[in-house]
Amino acid sequence: MRISKTRVLAAGAAAVLASSLGVAAATAGSDETPPSFQEFSASTFRDADGTWIVNGDEPVQSKGGLRQFYDGMVSAPKKVSEEGLIINTVNGKDDRWSQAAVGNLTYCVSTKFGADYSRVVSAMDSGAGQWEAASSAVDFIHVSGADSSCNTRNRTVVFSVEPTKTTQYIARAFFPSTSSKNILVNAKSLYNSGSWTPSNILAHELGHTLGFRHEHTRPESGTCFEDNNWRPLTPYDSASIMHYPQCNGSSDDLSMTSTDRAGIQAVYGN
């Protein structure tokens, strides 16, 4: 049984999150016995707002959801012949926006970023622009008038971009089906991540908001298996912007590839 993520958590390795987008799971293929759900729950990082953070940068908002994630994680990985950029699925259906909604993804950037506010605004604009250039159906719209009251309670925007002080991750995001929609960013970590540019890091997070999963959960990666709740869109791409470099990825800068562009076009059109 491949239990990469559970093995990491059982070993108390959550501290490695501080230097990456998320936890670098242990090598897949281990036959170690996974921890119980109680052990897994106790060792999973819980953010200040009460959500559990899994797969490095993905929030789970309820204990039931965490149990569902755990059950999927300890099951055997899918065996498919051709995989690639993948989309999250919920109850077997693609977790995606409608065509109307994906063309009006409004967001605010909290002024609580202080001195880093302008830089985060710029990085968000640049990261969003990468997906917009790949598909004309996608439009992320910064509503600056909402920035002074930017949080999940602000109903004038689809999602908020807010600061966090945790060092457990650089940034975390959400999927279209997530009820509470925000991107949390540690600005200090965002601008001190080596070859990973702020634009590419936030483009990775925005990939999640469009419904895309981590590329490295596929069997070809050989490590970092997460769960089976996804559908393949393109051939496997070890250099994908959605592939953690530390999970046998072949890119050191988290840049977008032509396969990523083909993947978003397969869902939302070009």
Side-chain angles (χ1 to χ4, degrees):
M1 179 181 293
R2 295 183 178 181
I3 53 166
S4 57
K5 186 73 70 174
T6 54
R7 181 181 172 194
V8 167
L9 292 173
V16 301
L17 287 165
S19 61
S20 66
L21 276 175
V23 65
T27 301
S30 169
D31 291 325
E32 294 181 20
T33 301
S36 67
F37 173 69
Q38 288 73 23
E39 292 170 328
F40 168 72
S41 175
S43 62
T44 299
F45 174 67
R46 197 169 189 184
D47 217 336
D49 60 0
T51 60
W52 289 269
I53 305 301
V54 299
N55 297 336
D57 59 354
E58 300 168 9
V60 175
Q61 296 173 331
S62 69
K63 198 65 172 284
L66 189 67
R67 179 70 203 217
Q68 185 177 30
F69 171 82
Y70 170 84
D71 290 341
M73 182 178 58
V74 298
S75 65
K78 285 184 179 180
K79 294 182 179 180
V80 293
S81 59
E82 196 169 275
E83 308 159 54
L85 189 67
I86 55 176
I87 191 166
N88 190 50
T89 58
V90 178
N91 298 322
K93 297 182 179 180
D94 289 353
D95 188 1
R96 52 158 291 173
W97 300 97
S98 68
Q99 289 302 112
V102 81
N104 190 37
L105 293 174
T106 56
Y107 67 91
C108 57
V109 179
S110 176
T111 54
K112 291 182 179 179
F113 278 106
D116 292 310
Y117 167 77
S118 295
R119 294 202 298 174
V120 175
V121 167
S122 178
M124 275 293 298
D125 182 65
S126 179
Q130 294 189 50
W131 292 109
E132 292 169 338
S135 172
S136 61
V138 176
D139 194 6
F140 288 99
I141 303 167
H142 177 205
V143 182
S144 59
D147 289 353
S148 61
S149 57
C150 185
N151 53 56
T152 55
R153 297 184 299 277
N154 191 326
R155 301 305 180 188
T156 65
V157 293
V158 174
F159 67 94
S160 58
V161 181
E162 304 174 59
T164 182
K165 294 181 179 179
T166 184
T167 56
Q168 292 293 305
Y169 53 79
I170 298 172
R172 76 170 219 207
F174 60 91
F175 292 116
S177 62
T178 306
S179 58
S180 183
K181 294 178 172 59
N182 62 0
I183 294 178
L184 298 186
V185 181
N186 182 312
K188 182 178 180 180
S189 297
L190 183 69
Y191 285 92
N192 290 279
S193 297
S195 61
W196 299 5
T197 68
S199 172
N200 288 352
I201 291 172
L202 291 182
H204 172 99
E205 298 305 327
L206 288 169
H208 288 313
T209 73
L210 291 167
F212 302 127
R213 290 290 304 274
H214 288 139
E215 185 85 354
H216 49 258
T217 195
R218 299 155 191 69
E220 285 90 340
S221 172
T223 188
C224 299
F225 170 69
E226 295 174 354
D227 60 51
N228 289 319
N229 300 318
W230 48 268
R231 179 177 71 84
L233 299 169
T234 66
Y236 172 70
D237 180 12
S238 63
S240 170
I241 194 170
M242 301 309 295
H243 198 306
Y244 283 177
Q246 67 268 33
C247 292
N248 288 342
S250 59
S251 171
D252 62 1
D253 61 3
L254 213 67
S255 58
M256 186 173 290
T257 68
S258 59
T259 304
D260 292 326
R261 297 183 186 96
I264 190 172
Q265 290 169 13
V267 178
Y268 296 112
N270 56 16

